[in-house]
Amino acid sequence: MTFSALLTKELRSRLRRERSIWLIIAYLCVLGLLGFVFLLRANAFSGGSRVYLLSQTGAQLYALLSLVQLAWVVFIAPAFTATSVNGEKERQTYDLLLCSKLSAFSLLTGKLIAGLANVLLLIVASIPLFSLVFFFGGVAPAQVFAMLLICVMTAIVAGTFGLFCSTLFQRPNVSTAIAYGFCVLWMFAYWVVYYLISSGTPPGNPHAIAWVQGLNAWNPIAALNSVVSGGQGVVTNFTFFRWHLAPWLAFTLISLVVAILLFLLSSAFVKPNTPGRFLAWMRLRSKRMKPSTA
Amino acid sequence: MADSNSNAMIKVQHVYKRYGSVHALEDLSLEVLQGAVYGLIGPNGAGKTTLLRILSALISPTSGQVWLDNEEVTQSPTAIRRKVGYMPDFFGVYPDLTSAEYLEFYAGISGVARRNLASSIKDLLELVNLSEKRDAPVETLSRGMKQRLCLARALIHDPRILLLDEPASGLDPGARVEFRELLRTLQGMGKTIVVSSHILLDLAEMCSHIAIIRAGKLVIEGDVEHVIRALGGAQRIEVRVLERAEEAIQTLKDMPEISSVSLERDDENGQVIHAEFTGNDLALHHILAALLAKNVLVVSFAPLKAVERLEEVYMNIMEGVPSL
């Protein structure tokens, strides 16, 4: 009851705002316009083998729309969650939530789901546009499904990190800036590290940069590249103990673990005076331990 | 539980609260009887909000014990939250929601059963006189309406104790009167109410008991008359005369029950004399008779109401009259 009440309130508040509708409209317009311009250009350069070109056009259109979708998700998800808890403090409604029967878990779950609902709405709204690529061929439904999964997992990680920042920092603008900083780092850390390592490594020493490839296992762009290219991209399968995981699957599993960890950390920080509560717990624990050791 | 008044709904015993090096509360002890309207008076930073936050289980005291309805606050905060309705000194509203949705949300997170929800919201909106604004967005409500909506929010789970932090601040006189009437209604419903305010006249008129807090310490508590007598000493009487004020002042000075006399005002409506008085109603009658015997044209003769003296007592305390 407490959780559903919070979720209902959050969805009412968020979806009632005009900007939510405008955001979806703007997103679909940008995505549609990009696709339209791309098709115009592809048509202008067409000639020769028409069948080959159509399937190639479909694959390229799919790659373009997927990349735009991923960028949009990374841009939007933190915005919806990075102010969710400290925004309540700023609005001076946080104390009132603490006075209720709302648990830390319910509070965070409600905030996260409501924040992600906006992002998921964008992803779902874009599905008809993505279905256009099937007219041209060159893209399997499984590829579209994997791309959607990567976008959803990216949204969950970015959203959970935003939520974590909103519990950790008092000021909403600080938590928003840090959440965006994390997302940029997450997207581009691999290439920065790769450049730094490879520039200082003598040629012909592949082992020195092999570990850097491991960073790709949790990189949304690398995962998307592997899906878009049908497994022929820059990233190949990852080996985890005895299992060989496709990049999109490795990305999904790692993202799930990271999101759970971030959520648990947020639960620890969402209630006030975390260090004080921790010290009280330690004192209580040591009191309980004493009689048994005596 | 420590021995004390068994009828007490709230017991605060030797409570200290420190924020780093700042002592917000120091050895504060008080009791609030069941069904009382208890006023907390003190300047900014006196510790009123800290005390209310401790009572609502939002923060824990550094040391000391707080009991609400026979439950220790730090031991059972969840049980306390069911019994307490807390209204902070800010609105804390969601502007996108309507009044009914706002109450529905807080009912939901306070664990109000769904089957009782619609009737509870309807009754509360009626109680705070906001039935017509049921479907109006909260952002369109006036300040007084928002204040009443926040009071309805604090009442949504039918708490036995209401903690109101500066509920009348920022309200115009009309809204303050309405709010005062509302509190009287709630008192009639058997709620125990603790209210903090800077508007002393409001507090004195609506409270059965008051406590004056300064720098985290309790200066005095008790019913309004008791506090004024204890701090202000003698009762004060006001005499308005049309002429012969000097003779009236001399007559008053000659009376053994009068300790000091002063001419407060001299205008076209006559002269107003204030006198410190200790005695009973019969002594008052003798004083009036003495004035009339001297042919002083007395227009009015009355002891000042306790509430009218509260501000003066409060100012004395804040200016450093030693605490009792």
Side-chain angles (χ1 to χ4, degrees):
Chain A
M1 177 68 178
T2 55
F3 165 73
S4 65
L6 179 71
L7 187 62
T8 307
K9 189 275 288 181
E10 287 290 323
L11 291 176
R12 265 179 184 155
S13 292
R14 288 168 191 267
L15 298 177
R16 198 167 274 171
R17 289 174 203 152
E18 256 185 45
R19 73 170 183 206
S20 299
I21 306 300
W22 284 114
L23 195 69
I24 296 172
I25 292 171
Y27 173 61
L28 292 179
C29 285
V30 167
L31 214 58
L33 199 66
L34 271 174
F36 181 69
V37 170
F38 176 82
L39 287 177
L40 275 183
R41 286 178 61 83
N43 197 37
F45 289 108
S46 68
S49 174
R50 194 122 181 105
V51 174
Y52 168 76
L53 270 177
L54 273 180
S55 64
Q56 198 183 33
T57 302
Q60 285 172 349
L61 178 63
Y62 163 66
L64 175 74
L65 294 182
S66 302
L67 200 62
V68 173
Q69 172 124 304
L70 186 72
W72 195 264
V73 162
V74 169
F75 179 68
I76 292 295
F80 282 120
T81 58
T83 60
S84 51
V85 175
N86 52 16
E88 293 281 352
K89 290 176 186 169
E90 198 175 58
R91 215 181 294 121
Q92 299 184 311
T93 46
Y94 186 63
D95 277 355
L96 304 178
L97 296 182
L98 292 181
C99 281
S100 70
K101 288 174 77 179
L102 200 64
S103 65
F105 180 81
S106 296
L107 173 63
L108 290 174
T109 314
K111 290 283 182 189
L112 184 64
I113 292 178
L116 290 179
N118 288 274
V119 186
L120 295 179
L121 198 61
L122 288 178
I123 294 174
V124 170
S126 70
I127 289 176
L129 268 174
F130 273 93
S131 65
L132 281 177
V133 299
F134 294 125
F135 284 118
F136 300 96
V139 180
Q143 278 177 284
V144 175
F145 169 76
M147 181 278 296
L148 289 175
L149 189 65
I150 288 168
C151 285
V152 169
M153 289 317 297
T154 305
I156 289 174
V157 171
T160 320
F161 191 80
L163 190 72
F164 172 63
C165 288
S166 79
T167 61
L168 202 59
F169 301 101
Q170 291 292 320
R171 295 174 60 181
N173 48 1
V174 174
S175 58
T176 307
I178 289 176
Y180 275 118
F182 163 79
C183 287
V184 170
L185 203 67
W186 184 33
M187 301 283 272
F188 302 110
Y190 165 73
W191 283 277
V192 175
V193 174
Y194 184 85
Y195 173 76
L196 292 175
I197 297 291
S198 61
S199 61
T201 306
N205 183 8
H207 294 294
I209 58 168
W211 67 269
V212 182
Q213 298 287 348
L215 287 176
N216 265 333
W218 193 47
N219 186 297
I221 297 176
L224 191 68
N225 175 270
S226 80
V227 169
V228 166
S229 61
Q232 306 300 312
V234 291
V235 187
T236 53
N237 284 1
F238 293 97
T239 305
F240 185 71
F241 292 107
R242 281 181 300 168
W243 298 292
H244 298 284
L245 303 174
W248 67 269
L249 188 58
F251 171 79
T252 301
L253 292 176
I254 296 172
S255 295
L256 212 55
V257 172
V258 171
I260 291 170
L261 285 176
L262 285 171
F263 188 86
L264 291 176
L265 278 173
S266 305
S267 307
F269 285 106
V270 71
K271 292 277 178 171
N273 192 23
T274 301
R277 283 188 294 125
F278 180 70
L279 288 174
W281 177 75
M282 289 290 281
R283 276 197 295 271
L284 193 71
R285 193 165 169 267
S286 63
K287 267 184 194 172
R288 281 179 185 162
M289 295 286 279
K290 268 178 189 169
S292 60
T293 53
Chain B
M1 197 192 308
D3 59 328
S4 52
N5 195 331
S6 60
N7 196 28
M9 180 61 95
I10 299 172
K11 292 172 191 174
V12 177
Q13 295 176 336
H14 307 293
V15 162
Y16 289 79
K17 179 66 187 176
R18 294 194 184 103
Y19 296 106
S21 59
V22 178
H23 295 238
L25 294 177
E26 277 193 86
D27 196 19
L28 191 90
S29 298
L30 53 84
E31 286 191 354
V32 181
L33 300 180
Q34 189 172 354
V37 180
Y38 194 94
L40 290 174
I41 308 177
N44 288 334
K48 305 184 299 292
T49 299
T50 300
L51 178 60
L52 289 178
R53 284 169 65 83
I54 288 174
L55 292 177
S56 56
L58 278 172
I59 54 173
S60 301
T62 308
S63 65
Q65 286 190 310
V66 179
W67 300 80
L68 269 83
D69 199 14
N70 297 324
E71 303 234 36
E72 219 283 323
V73 170
T74 52
Q75 298 296 319
S76 44
T78 313
I80 293 299
R81 282 171 195 147
R82 275 203 301 271
K83 295 178 179 181
V84 166
Y86 175 53
M87 180 177 161
D89 60 343
F90 41 79
F91 289 135
V93 292
Y94 298 100
D96 298 313
L97 301 181
T98 66
S99 304
E101 286 167 353
Y102 177 76
L103 293 180
E104 189 186 320
F105 165 58
Y106 280 103
I109 63 170
S110 301
V112 176
R114 214 180 268 274
R115 62 180 179 277
N116 301 333
L117 201 59
S119 63
S120 294
I121 291 173
K122 183 173 172 286
D123 292 347
L124 278 174
L125 286 173
E126 265 173 30
L127 178 74
V128 298
N129 201 17
L130 283 176
S131 295
E132 285 179 8
K133 298 289 179 182
R134 186 194 148 82
D135 296 319
V138 174
E139 64 185 340
T140 63
L141 301 183
S142 70
R143 192 181 174 89
M145 287 174 180
K146 279 182 188 164
Q147 201 80 315
R148 280 183 276 146
L149 183 66
C150 287
L151 182 63
R153 198 249 326 131
L155 289 164
I156 192 76
H157 56 297
D158 194 21
R160 298 188 70 188
I161 302 165
L162 266 179
L163 306 173
L164 312 177
D165 197 358
E166 304 277 356
S169 66
L171 297 185
D172 61 56
R176 278 218 299 274
V177 171
E178 277 181 22
F179 205 83
R180 215 159 51 208
E181 291 304 316
L182 199 51
L183 289 192
R184 285 213 180 96
T185 308
L186 291 171
Q187 190 188 15
M189 291 163 70
K191 309 279 183 202
T192 303
I193 303 170
V194 179
V195 53
S196 77
S197 179
H198 287 118
I199 303 160
L200 303 177
L201 207 61
D202 273 2
L203 265 193
E205 284 183 359
M206 72 172 83
C207 295
S208 52
H209 295 73
I210 56 168
I212 298 180
I213 300 175
R214 184 179 62 186
K217 293 175 185 164
L218 183 73
V219 178
I220 191 168
E221 70 154 336
D223 63 68
V224 179
E225 292 283 350
H226 163 76
V227 168
I228 290 167
R229 283 216 187 93
L231 292 172
Q235 198 179 350
R236 183 169 288 189
I237 52 173
E238 186 179 271
V239 185
R240 183 185 290 271
V241 298
L242 281 183
E243 55 183 39
R244 307 179 75 166
E246 291 80 14
E247 203 161 348
I249 289 170
Q250 193 53 51
T251 307
L252 288 169
K253 279 181 179 172
D254 293 342
M255 304 296 290
E257 297 89 353
I258 300 289
S259 52
S260 73
V261 184
S262 60
L263 183 66
E264 285 293 306
R265 288 196 304 277
D266 186 354
D267 52 36
E268 67 272 17
N269 296 322
Q271 291 93 30
V272 175
I273 302 162
H274 279 187
E276 300 285 343
F277 161 80
T278 43
N280 55 19
D281 287 351
L282 188 63
L284 271 179
H285 170 75
H286 285 298
I287 294 166
L288 179 59
L291 288 171
L292 294 174
K294 296 277 182 180
N295 291 325
V296 176
L297 288 177
V298 178
V299 181
S300 68
F301 178 91
L304 283 176
K305 278 185 186 173
V307 292
E308 289 164 5
R309 300 216 47 212
L310 187 59
E311 199 142 358
E312 185 188 330
V313 170
Y314 177 75
M315 289 313 293
N316 283 343
I317 291 168
M318 293 310 135
E319 284 164 13
V321 172
S323 48
L324 300 181

